[in-house]
Amino acid sequence: MNPIQVQREKTRSWTTRRDAKRKRKDGLSGITDGKVIPTESIVDVLETLIKPGDRVVLEGDNQKQASFLSQALSSVNPEKVKRLHMIMSSVSRPEHLDLFEKNIAERVDFAFSGPQSLRVAQMLEDEKLTIGGIHTYIELYGRLFIDLIPKVALVAADKADSQGNLYTGANTEETPTLVEAAAFRDGIVIAQVNDITKELPRVDIPGSWVDYIVEADKPYQLEPLFTRDPRHISEIQILMAMMTIRGVYEKHKVQSLNHGIGFNTAAIELLLPTFAEKLGLKGEICKHWALNPHPSLIPAIESGWIESIHCFGGEVGMEKYIEARPDVFFTGPDGSLRSNRTLSQLAGQYAVDLFVGSTLQMDRDGNSSTVTSGRLAGFGGAPNMGHDPGGRRHSTPAWLNMINSDDPLARGKKLVVQMVETFQSGNQPVFVESLDAVEVGKEAKLDTAPVMIYGSDVTHLVTEEGIAYLYKTDSMEEKRAAIASVAGVTPIGLERNAKRAEQLRRDGIIALPEDLKIRRTDAKRSLLAAKSVEELVDWSGGLYEPPAKFRSW
């Protein structure tokens, strides 16, 4: 080492981040000398700790929201706190976008914006915000440890003690990931909690990772996002569920899986103890799940269909039921669920045989998106689970069943199923000549069109018309013909060639209900194991306590 290098080694500081953090925290000496922030002082604290241009992670996935902290952040003085780069799994609450209206924040990286999708699109058009990227959950979490390392993390937990140890209860979700990304790069971690207590049921996040805790003025927002009232399941959805069980799950012996949100997948769950039971499929399919605790799974659990469920998050009203079923759910000694959005997304990406999703639009090549004209909804976790991960090396019967080649190096494939009715509400066709996402991407100045699931990953397409086994097609022309054959009277369906469709049927590339020995007239609501939320409660032995808006009795 030459003298110049030696001098540099002597003068360079290697603790600049740590020193900067200490300096920020010193500014709170007049507010708190410990970890507990007075509830009424939270805005002053944020104005002291957050500096212009900071990257700020604000917890808010599609269920659990750090609502007290998001409201406080939207109340800071924009002369003191400005030009923030927000990182949020889900842009879900009005104040999330108020941050940009008030010039507190200017840039956002996110994964999902369902409840605020219309406003996001409008604010983009009005140049009120800039989008860094629309991510999948795992992608966003991964970047927190690479090039989106946060200066401040604002998170939510159920309880804390005075040392800052956190108990997250049933809704651990993404909290540990967000905290770790900040805590181990000298970022500042602030957790809102519902209660500060002397003793915790368990420690989910150690206090050494947490800088400050604040007791919120009311519990964090939690949405019952995965509850579907069986009363609203239609006979068309039941028909599609019957076809999926018979033509996909039974055919390929699917044992591990993830279901998207929707009445169509709720119908599948409620047909397992009835329709699938009569087919003799118990123990053959649907044993292991990466899934939130859907109430519509209760009959299948009680009937002995399901061996394990690892959850992304909790579900309001399912707490007592989960506590009483530790053989099925991942629970702690205290009985509460240990959900984890990051790990469950990884399980859904790599460990399951099948993903079933839905979409708002699909083109003739099978590309799909929930981003439509004037609506920038993002993706959430669908692209993580709705693609074939090239890194997978373990095999299962379902995965191997996707091999269509004699090549000794041929590999299996995850089953990616798109399950859609040909027309959505408002009589809008699902199958379109060009995705709205293409134009929306241009208007939003995104580098690529916001496609949710690419057609190259889709193995099966299920509509009320039948099933298209897209993994069997050997050309793009044949794939397009298969999609058109089950696309109904949509613009793509009208391209259907009757003679070609019949040949595809003979070749087993498309299957109609009768080919699966299913009579359309048998698709009745009487097949559902539970036909109302009240019946789900009965199945649970009274353990399921649905939110008030789902109580119709």
Side-chain angles (χ1 to χ4, degrees):
M1 186 178 291
N2 63 45
I4 295 177
Q5 289 175 313
V6 172
Q7 184 62 27
R8 284 176 177 167
E9 290 296 326
K10 288 181 177 179
T11 59
R12 176 175 176 178
S13 170
W14 292 92
T15 59
T16 57
R17 298 172 64 90
R18 196 162 298 167
D19 296 340
K21 175 178 177 176
R22 187 180 301 111
K23 185 176 181 180
R24 292 193 190 197
K25 294 180 69 172
D26 287 345
L28 292 188
S29 59
I31 298 177
T32 179
D33 56 2
K35 291 198 172 187
V36 180
I37 297 170
T39 304
E40 65 276 9
S41 300
I42 187 61
V43 173
D44 290 338
V45 167
L46 295 180
E47 289 179 348
T48 301
L49 293 178
I50 301 176
K51 304 302 180 185
D54 274 353
R55 285 196 202 106
V56 178
V57 168
L58 177 58
E59 181 166 18
D61 53 52
N62 53 16
Q63 285 182 287
K64 175 186 174 187
Q65 302 285 329
S67 45
F68 173 73
L69 289 174
S70 64
Q71 290 173 332
L73 185 59
S74 70
S75 301
V76 299
N77 184 343
E79 293 299 317
K80 296 180 179 180
V81 181
K82 53 190 173 183
R83 301 193 310 278
L84 299 184
H85 180 173
M86 301 302 302
I87 304 168
M88 294 183 281
S89 294
S90 179
V91 181
S92 301
R93 293 175 56 84
E95 67 266 17
H96 290 171
L97 292 176
D98 291 346
L99 294 171
F100 299 89
E101 296 276 9
K102 296 177 178 180
N103 297 316
I104 296 167
E106 63 180 15
R107 186 178 179 86
V108 64
D109 281 272
F110 70 101
F112 179 69
S113 67
Q116 300 294 325
S117 57
L118 296 176
R119 191 176 170 198
V120 168
Q122 186 60 54
M123 290 180 70
L124 263 175
E125 185 177 330
D126 296 341
E127 299 183 344
K128 292 284 188 179
L129 59 77
T130 301
I131 292 178
I134 306 174
H135 305 70
T136 70
Y137 285 128
I138 292 177
E139 180 182 16
L140 189 62
Y141 299 152
R143 289 190 68 192
L144 292 178
F145 296 89
I146 303 297
D147 62 332
L148 289 181
I149 299 170
K151 278 288 188 182
V152 179
L154 306 176
V155 300
D158 279 29
K159 300 177 187 293
D161 61 21
S162 60
Q163 301 304 307
N165 297 303
L166 301 182
Y167 168 68
T168 55
N171 303 287
T172 304
E173 304 205 20
E174 63 185 11
T175 314
T177 304
L178 306 184
V179 170
E180 185 161 340
F184 289 89
R185 283 289 279 165
D186 297 306
I188 294 172
V189 177
I190 304 174
Q192 70 166 78
V193 297
N194 299 337
D195 299 293
I196 298 176
T197 61
K198 289 185 178 180
E199 293 186 9
L200 301 177
R202 68 172 190 246
V203 174
D204 291 308
I205 298 173
S208 60
W209 296 15
V210 180
D211 294 290
Y212 298 104
I213 55 174
V214 57
E215 191 167 282
D217 53 7
K218 56 185 175 182
Y220 58 74
Q221 180 192 0
L222 187 64
E223 290 297 319
L225 190 68
F226 295 90
T227 299
R228 292 293 178 268
D229 190 335
R231 290 183 307 161
H232 302 306
I233 296 175
S234 69
E235 292 184 349
I236 286 178
Q237 290 159 345
I238 293 170
L239 173 65
M240 292 168 61
M242 294 168 71
M243 288 193 289
T244 303
I245 290 172
R246 192 96 223 237
V248 182
Y249 294 5
E250 179 183 13
K251 178 180 176 66
H252 303 296
K253 294 295 183 284
V254 174
Q255 295 202 9
S256 57
L257 66 162
N258 166 264
H259 275 182
I261 309 172
F263 288 103
N264 49 9
T265 49
I268 295 175
E269 293 155 17
L270 290 168
L271 289 182
L272 292 178
T274 57
F275 176 71
E277 185 91 29
K278 289 182 179 178
L279 294 174
L281 296 177
K282 184 189 290 185
E284 300 293 323
I285 65 170
C286 301
K287 294 166 63 175
H288 308 291
W289 300 68
L291 198 69
N292 275 68
H294 292 191
S296 47
L297 280 173
I298 292 173
I301 294 171
E302 295 301 304
S303 301
W305 274 79
I306 296 173
E307 293 186 13
S308 67
I309 303 174
H310 188 265
C311 301
F312 306 92
E315 186 69 358
V316 180
M318 286 288 284
E319 295 83 2
K320 288 184 179 179
Y321 181 76
I322 290 166
E323 183 177 356
R325 301 292 182 268
D327 279 354
V328 173
F329 294 97
F330 286 70
T331 58
D334 65 308
S336 71
L337 182 69
R338 170 69 180 194
S339 61
N340 189 301
R341 191 163 295 275
T342 306
L343 294 181
S344 209
Q345 286 286 334
L346 284 171
Q349 179 168 328
Y350 276 98
V352 304
D353 293 332
L354 171 145
F355 163 78
V356 176
S358 191
T359 188
L360 296 178
Q361 286 189 336
M362 177 179 283
D363 66 16
R364 57 170 55 85
D365 294 335
N367 301 304
S368 65
S369 187
T370 53
V371 173
T372 56
S373 182
R375 182 181 182 209
L376 197 59
F379 311 124
N384 291 136
M385 290 170 285
H387 86 285
D388 179 51
R392 175 169 170 168
R393 292 296 182 269
H394 76 280
S395 61
T396 59
W399 187 79
L400 292 171
N401 208 235
M402 293 296 99
I403 296 177
N404 270 337
S405 168
D406 295 328
D407 185 340
L409 295 181
R411 62 187 297 279
K413 194 173 185 180
K414 180 198 285 186
L415 283 73
V416 176
V417 183
Q418 288 282 48
M419 190 177 180
V420 296
E421 295 178 52
T422 54
F423 284 83
Q424 54 179 295
S425 59
N427 207 31
Q428 294 295 312
V430 168
F431 295 92
V432 296
E433 294 179 354
S434 177
L435 298 177
D436 287 358
V438 174
E439 193 58 36
V440 171
K442 291 178 182 177
E443 293 172 356
K445 299 178 181 177
L446 301 176
D447 293 330
T448 58
V451 174
M452 183 174 69
I453 296 178
Y454 287 96
S456 56
D457 284 311
V458 179
T459 58
H460 299 70
L461 173 60
V462 182
T463 75
E464 70 272 23
E465 301 290 331
I467 300 178
Y469 294 95
L470 301 181
Y471 73 95
K472 289 186 173 183
T473 61
D474 57 13
S475 68
M476 183 58 73
E477 183 275 332
E478 187 171 64
K479 181 178 181 178
R480 288 176 172 177
I483 291 173
S485 296
V486 297
V489 292
T490 62
I492 299 304
L494 294 175
E495 297 175 359
R496 173 182 179 272
N497 179 291
K499 183 180 288 188
R500 185 66 192 282
E502 191 56 39
Q503 182 61 52
L504 292 172
R505 188 179 174 190
R506 286 195 296 270
D507 293 342
I509 292 176
I510 65 168
L512 304 185
E514 48 267 36
D515 300 324
L516 303 170
K517 298 181 180 179
I518 294 172
R519 293 186 298 182
R520 293 178 185 269
T521 53
D522 287 344
K524 301 293 185 183
R525 283 182 47 79
S526 58
L527 279 179
L528 297 175
K531 302 166 193 64
S532 66
V533 172
E534 184 178 12
E535 290 186 15
L536 291 175
V537 174
D538 291 340
W539 269 99
S540 76
L543 292 169
Y544 172 43
E545 299 176 329
K549 68 179 181 180
F550 291 104
R551 292 179 178 271
S552 58
W553 63 94

